[in-house]
Amino acid sequence: MLALRSGRDLPLRVVSSLTLLLVLAASLPAQPDEEPTEPKRRPPEVSESSPLPPPYDDWFLAARPFLSLAEIRVFFSLERDYQRDAFIDRFWAVRDPYPETARNELRERFDYWSKAIPEVYGTFHDARGRILMLHGRAANVVPVRCSQNRPAEIWVYPESRRLRQPFFLVFRQRSPNQPAELLSADEVVALLGSSACQSLSYLNDALNYVRTNPDSYEYLLRRVLQRPRPSSEEWLATFEAFSTDLEAGTPELPFEISFEFPGRYDSRTVVQTVLAVSGEEAAVGDLRGHRSIDFLLVGEVVRGDRLFESFRYQFGHPVVSDRPRRVPLAFQRYLRPGEYRLVLKLEDLNGASQGRYEGKLVVPAVDTELPPPPPTDPETARIFAEAAEAVEAGRPTIRIVPPGGDILAGFVRFDTLAVGPEIDRVRFSLDDRELMTKTRPPYNVEIDLGEIPQLHSLRVEALDADGEVVASDERFLNAGSNRFAVRLLSPTSGDRYHESLEAEVDVQLPEGRSLERLEFYLNENLVATLFQPPWVQPIALESPAAAYVRTVAYLPDGHSTEDLVFVNAPGDLEAIDVQTVELYASVLNRSGRPVAGLEASDFRIEEDGVEQTLKRFDWLTDIPIHTGIVIDNSASMRSSLNEVKVQALQFLSQTITSRDRAAIVTFNRFPRLAVPLTNDLQALGGGLAGLTAEGGTSLYDSLVFSLYYFTGIKGKRALLLLSDGKDESSQFSFDEAIEFARRAGVTVYSVGLRIPPGVARSRLEQVAQETGGQAYFIREVGELEAIYAAIEEELRSQYLLVYQSNSLREDGDFREVELTTRDRELEVRTMSGYYP
């Protein structure tokens, strides 16, 4: 039984409480964070056209203070009880105040009040029940004896779980048997200002406050009635995306279905399902020459009266010439033996047709146990194959097993695969700094790589009992798949060589690229040029005097990278790192157009406030660029995504030349590399074909992922980031994403679609500003064409300024760079600094 605290014998304490409340309430801000709505009754189109069964109608009446109109619409559109149960579970999950714990405290409080309120007030329509549901019990409940026919009371809250500030509310019943109403400022003045109430001083305090601050009190009421916000603003759109209901009036898409049960994994049976669709009835999509048939499959597995699982698959089939007669769509689920109901909806993404299947699925127990799948990571498979070969050959070897995930930060465990009886211990070094030596297997180590992903070099050396290195391996961490680098494995700096040495080079190429040639130099004399592996070259020494060996690698497009090692050098020789800094800069006039014709003398560069000397200056109008189109395909982008794809491909078709490369990254809850770097417009169109909108928004993770992918690429690099919302589910924080952007040296142009002023908008602006780009905010997708044209013009019209830092700092902290022109009316865009 609900027990409400009475205030009949507390007039003196209430006076002090109200006085305190009135003072504190005066400091409330002028505008609310959100304008909540306060419907007086259930929307007619909902209550009349879609009545709910009694258990769900009761839930709706109790949960009404928490529901938005959009959530009401979706809830009343559901036709099956298991869908309603799934909606309710998800509804509370996104409002869990402490999602990291097993309990959902808000749902527990709701379950308590939803039972207690009808016992006390007889109905959920009583406004006091709504306040209890949102804020819990009041500290004091003070009756107002202004009229015998209209019972009223004041509820006093020093604070509540949701409003961390004091407030008071006034309720009134039109008659003793009617539900109570929450009074507005005008109604409070009319009630408390009557002659029957003026003799009570604490009521006069409340009256005077509301009378002199009506706007503040109305704002207070809006804050009090504000619905708890879900952790994901896009949860509802995601929930709808998993619906298996057909849209009214859509043409039928027929398909055949078959099942097989080839074996089991552990206690679950493998259920292989194949849908056969007529290719002649499917629509063909065409994106810049990429023709394809694309389908979206949504499925529900129901066990008993509960939704057991739901899933989505997208299928794409390229159409090279004629359409295929039949298109098989296969997917695999793992279910325990038993009886289920399977519901499927198949949608033609290039047309309007949809098909649906609902039927019983009996999953048998299967004796055949399937073998585990082979390693999906080709690098891991290669390492194990190499180890097996080493065992057969009887030679010692050690290899670093790549850890899971591409982006590595925090504490990461690294395992090695060491083979050979000669191995006595293993030494680990990070960035040429020795970490530890393990004297017994397993030879692994856990390393703190820091909160921000950075490029590191991990080296392992297998030593024999005499301390000699018998095998070694080295791996770059957070290098990305596009890093172009060479490293001289031998000779080794510090060792002494007499008549000759053997130079061996490790080459790391960008994904999908080939090496044109590798040159070896002794001092500045070219010794040899190699065009194919092995990258090993004997070099004769003229004398045992100090010298250096240099290697330079070239890609077919002219990009190069090099490494250098001193040999036979004196022991006291110190290697000094001279930091060469490249600044790609845009200079714009007041109209936002690029400014050409400036000279080196027109610029001034300062690093940490100290002026720097230019070593190179160029005006670049046709530089090769590497561009990443990063597209938000979360659920809220559903109405805009098709036009966004068209605009993105239009930009690429006008911008990308044979010397350029572009990649496409899409993201919702997770980022995905849709198309790796290429200049093939048909491949770029294929990466966007059939792209659908679903899930939440992991903006910061996707920014880090995209920047990571561009790590190691030389020259001009730019990301075009399009999003329509704030971050909801990233593992990286905004500050970590900004730090990573500073280290990456990639220019980011951010485009916000229908994003109001606030935190999400300011953060897109900060990302662009820190990296030398620009932020744009638009209302309609059609505005993208002009924005993309401006970005293209800016990318093709840039200044390259190169200097060697004269900083004497030896730390690795951020160094601020400021680039200005003599004409202060010109806007200069470049990176805000760098990490050495």
Side-chain angles (χ1 to χ4, degrees):
M1 185 68 178
L2 176 65
L4 293 180
R5 189 174 175 184
S6 173
R8 295 179 183 176
D9 58 344
L10 301 174
L12 294 179
R13 276 176 282 180
V14 171
V15 171
S16 60
S17 297
L18 278 177
T19 302
L20 174 62
L21 289 174
L22 299 179
V23 172
L24 294 177
S27 64
L28 293 173
Q31 295 295 332
D33 295 334
E34 176 186 346
E35 287 289 342
T37 56
E38 169 63 6
K40 296 295 184 182
R41 57 187 174 85
R42 195 183 305 175
E45 70 275 14
V46 170
S47 61
E48 293 175 6
S49 63
S50 305
L52 290 169
Y56 302 102
D57 187 67
D58 293 342
W59 180 85
F60 168 76
L61 291 174
R64 184 65 189 88
F66 299 89
L67 287 155
S68 68
L69 291 178
E71 289 168 334
I72 292 174
R73 175 187 60 79
V74 172
F75 186 63
F76 274 80
S77 70
L78 302 177
E79 299 179 357
R80 299 167 181 82
D81 288 351
Y82 72 83
Q83 294 174 331
R84 298 184 182 105
D85 291 331
F87 177 97
I88 292 172
D89 288 342
R90 186 62 184 149
F91 176 87
W92 290 120
V94 297
R95 287 169 170 81
D96 188 350
Y98 307 105
E100 65 277 6
T101 65
R103 295 176 55 194
N104 188 330
E105 292 79 3
L106 183 62
R107 186 170 189 174
E108 291 176 1
R109 292 200 300 269
F110 169 82
D111 291 340
Y112 170 76
W113 289 115
S114 63
K115 296 175 182 177
I117 288 172
E119 297 181 13
V120 176
Y121 300 121
T123 176
F124 285 110
H125 295 291
D126 193 297
R128 292 170 295 186
R130 176 171 188 171
I131 299 303
L132 286 170
M133 201 66 88
L134 290 171
H135 300 283
R137 293 185 178 91
N140 291 324
V141 178
V142 184
V144 179
R145 303 301 183 186
C146 297
S147 171
Q148 296 298 325
N149 297 326
R150 290 192 169 190
E153 53 192 38
I154 299 178
W155 286 19
V156 181
Y157 286 87
E159 67 173 13
S160 75
R161 294 185 183 93
R162 298 189 57 245
L163 244 63
R164 300 298 182 183
Q165 63 188 49
F167 61 94
F168 67 92
L169 306 169
V170 183
F171 299 92
R172 179 187 61 189
Q173 293 174 266
R174 295 186 181 274
S175 67
N177 296 324
Q178 286 190 334
E181 300 173 340
L182 179 61
L183 299 188
S184 66
D186 291 341
E187 291 169 330
V188 169
V189 171
L191 174 66
L192 301 186
S194 65
S195 58
C197 297
Q198 291 179 355
S199 60
L200 302 176
S201 60
Y202 64 92
L203 296 184
N204 286 335
D205 289 340
L207 170 63
N208 291 334
Y209 172 75
V210 177
R211 179 179 285 160
T212 56
N213 300 278
D215 292 339
S216 293
Y217 190 75
E218 287 297 326
Y219 165 55
L220 169 72
L221 294 182
R222 292 196 297 271
R223 293 270 293 173
V224 166
L225 295 172
Q226 193 173 16
R227 288 182 294 271
R229 293 181 179 179
S231 59
S232 169
E233 301 290 345
E234 296 176 309
W235 86 269
L236 194 64
T238 301
F239 183 86
E240 287 189 283
F242 279 82
S243 171
T244 56
D245 297 330
L246 298 182
E247 298 177 14
T250 57
E252 181 182 1
L253 177 63
F255 59 86
E256 300 175 358
I257 187 168
S258 60
F259 304 97
E260 290 187 7
F261 309 97
R264 63 178 174 85
Y265 288 133
D266 296 328
S267 61
R268 293 180 180 250
T269 298
V270 179
V271 182
Q272 292 182 347
T273 307
V274 178
L275 309 184
V277 188
S278 171
E280 298 174 351
E281 297 185 22
V284 177
D286 192 330
L287 280 175
R288 296 290 169 182
H290 178 88
R291 302 174 70 244
S292 61
I293 296 174
D294 302 283
F295 298 99
L296 178 66
L297 177 68
V298 181
E300 296 173 327
V301 178
V302 183
R303 187 166 195 174
D305 58 355
R306 302 289 294 182
L307 179 65
F308 180 75
E309 68 174 13
S310 56
F311 52 85
R312 282 165 58 98
Y313 291 98
Q314 186 175 320
F315 302 94
H317 291 263
V319 178
V320 179
S321 55
D322 297 332
R323 301 191 200 185
R325 294 182 58 187
R326 292 173 67 82
V327 180
L329 311 177
F331 66 94
Q332 191 164 285
R333 308 301 298 176
Y334 303 90
L335 300 174
R336 291 187 176 88
E339 184 175 312
Y340 302 84
R341 187 160 82 257
L342 179 65
V343 185
L344 301 174
K345 182 181 79 170
L346 185 65
E347 178 182 355
D348 185 344
L349 292 176
N350 300 315
S353 58
Q354 296 179 349
R356 192 173 189 275
Y357 168 85
E358 182 171 356
K360 183 169 67 173
L361 175 64
V362 179
V363 178
V366 181
D367 293 332
T368 304
E369 185 170 2
L370 296 179
T376 56
D377 177 13
E379 178 68 7
T380 301
R382 182 191 65 81
I383 288 174
F384 278 89
E386 186 178 294
E389 180 184 346
V391 170
E392 294 180 3
R395 67 174 186 274
T397 183
I398 187 169
R399 289 292 179 263
I400 302 170
V401 178
D406 293 326
I407 303 175
L408 304 177
F411 283 91
V412 180
R413 174 186 168 124
F414 293 92
D415 295 301
T416 65
L417 193 61
V419 176
E422 299 95 328
I423 298 176
D424 180 70
R425 55 193 183 274
V426 171
R427 183 167 58 207
F428 294 84
S429 301
L430 184 70
D431 300 330
D432 297 325
R433 178 174 59 88
E434 185 176 338
L435 294 178
M436 66 170 61
T437 299
K438 298 292 290 288
T439 57
R440 63 174 66 89
Y443 299 117
N444 54 43
V445 65
E446 191 173 78
I447 303 175
D448 183 5
L449 299 178
E451 295 181 356
I452 310 300
Q454 300 180 46
L455 179 65
H456 295 286
S457 172
L458 177 64
R459 182 173 179 83
V460 294
E461 296 172 317
L463 310 176
D464 61 16
D466 296 327
E468 297 294 326
V469 177
V470 295
S472 65
D473 190 22
E474 189 166 12
R475 174 174 291 271
F476 286 103
L477 313 179
N478 295 322
S481 59
N482 292 294
R483 178 176 172 80
F484 178 35
V486 292
R487 183 180 180 89
L488 279 160
L489 300 179
S490 65
T492 304
S493 179
D495 286 353
R496 301 198 63 81
Y497 302 86
H498 298 282
E499 297 181 354
S500 67
L501 58 81
E502 183 179 74
E504 180 182 2
V505 176
D506 176 62
V507 180
Q508 184 175 356
L509 290 172
E511 187 176 16
R513 306 296 298 276
S514 60
L515 190 67
E516 182 188 71
R517 68 185 188 275
L518 185 71
E519 297 175 346
F520 288 91
Y521 292 81
L522 180 63
N523 297 325
E524 287 304 310
N525 300 317
L526 178 64
V527 174
T529 301
L530 276 61
F531 296 91
Q532 65 282 317
W535 308 115
V536 179
Q537 176 64 36
I539 297 178
L541 298 178
E542 298 175 358
S543 69
Y548 60 85
V549 175
R550 185 166 67 97
T551 183
V552 185
Y554 293 88
L555 295 177
D557 62 7
H559 283 110
S560 64
T561 186
E562 64 180 76
D563 190 24
L564 179 147
V565 171
F566 285 96
V567 296
N568 298 336
D572 57 353
L573 179 67
E574 292 187 10
I576 301 176
D577 290 331
V578 179
Q579 188 71 47
T580 300
V581 183
E582 293 184 349
L583 298 178
Y584 288 91
S586 302
V587 182
L588 309 177
N589 59 23
R590 285 185 172 182
S591 301
R593 299 297 302 276
V595 176
L598 298 179
E599 304 292 337
S601 59
D602 292 318
F603 290 89
R604 176 185 174 92
I605 302 176
E606 291 184 355
E607 181 180 303
D608 291 336
V610 179
E611 187 173 359
Q612 306 293 311
T613 301
L614 270 176
K615 296 297 184 183
R616 178 184 171 190
F617 175 83
D618 289 308
W619 164 245
L620 308 172
T621 58
D622 191 27
I623 58 173
I625 58 174
H626 292 82
T627 308
I629 307 292
V630 187
I631 296 177
D632 180 348
N633 70 313
S634 60
S636 59
M637 289 286 294
R638 185 175 303 169
S639 61
S640 309
L641 192 56
N642 285 335
E643 191 173 353
V644 166
K645 293 189 294 186
V646 172
Q647 293 288 353
L649 281 172
Q650 170 128 5
F651 166 78
L652 293 172
S653 64
Q654 295 174 352
T655 305
I656 301 303
T657 69
S658 60
R659 302 172 61 201
D660 306 318
R661 298 289 185 273
I664 294 177
V665 176
T666 62
F667 70 93
N668 41 54
R669 288 183 60 217
F670 305 100
R672 182 179 73 91
L673 180 63
V675 184
L677 282 166
T678 180
N679 55 13
D680 185 343
L681 287 175
Q682 187 171 347
L684 292 166
L688 294 177
L691 183 65
T692 58
E694 60 180 326
T697 304
S698 60
L699 179 61
Y700 308 148
D701 283 359
S702 303
L703 176 61
V704 171
F705 175 88
S706 304
L707 293 169
Y708 164 82
Y709 180 70
F710 276 69
T711 299
I713 298 175
K714 297 182 180 297
K716 180 60 182 176
R717 301 165 294 164
L719 290 183
L720 279 62
L721 171 65
L722 173 69
S723 179
D724 74 338
K726 64 181 182 180
D727 186 276
E728 292 185 338
S729 55
S730 287
Q731 299 298 311
F732 288 104
S733 68
F734 173 71
D735 290 339
E736 291 170 338
I738 281 289
E739 282 298 298
F740 192 80
R742 284 175 162 180
R743 296 176 185 276
V746 180
T747 304
V748 179
Y749 296 89
S750 54
V751 182
L753 176 60
R754 293 186 286 270
I755 298 180
V759 174
R761 187 165 177 157
S762 65
R763 288 182 170 177
L764 287 178
E765 290 176 333
Q766 186 176 347
V767 169
Q769 181 180 4
E770 291 279 356
T771 59
Q774 175 72 4
Y776 303 88
F777 299 98
I778 58 177
R779 296 296 305 170
E780 302 297 334
V781 179
E783 300 174 57
L784 277 175
E785 183 176 1
I787 290 174
Y788 282 162
I791 294 174
E792 177 195 0
E793 183 180 19
E794 184 174 326
L795 289 175
R796 294 297 186 192
S797 308
Q798 300 226 314
Y799 293 93
L800 173 61
L801 302 95
V802 181
Y803 72 93
Q804 290 182 343
S805 173
N806 58 20
S807 175
L808 299 178
R809 290 170 52 184
E810 298 182 357
D811 57 62
D813 293 341
F814 187 72
R815 300 182 181 181
E816 294 185 356
V817 173
E818 184 179 9
L819 178 64
T820 56
T821 64
R822 290 189 299 178
D823 186 347
R824 293 295 181 174
E825 293 188 356
L826 299 179
E827 178 188 359
V828 182
R829 296 179 188 164
T830 191
M831 64 182 187
S832 62
Y834 69 96
Y835 283 92

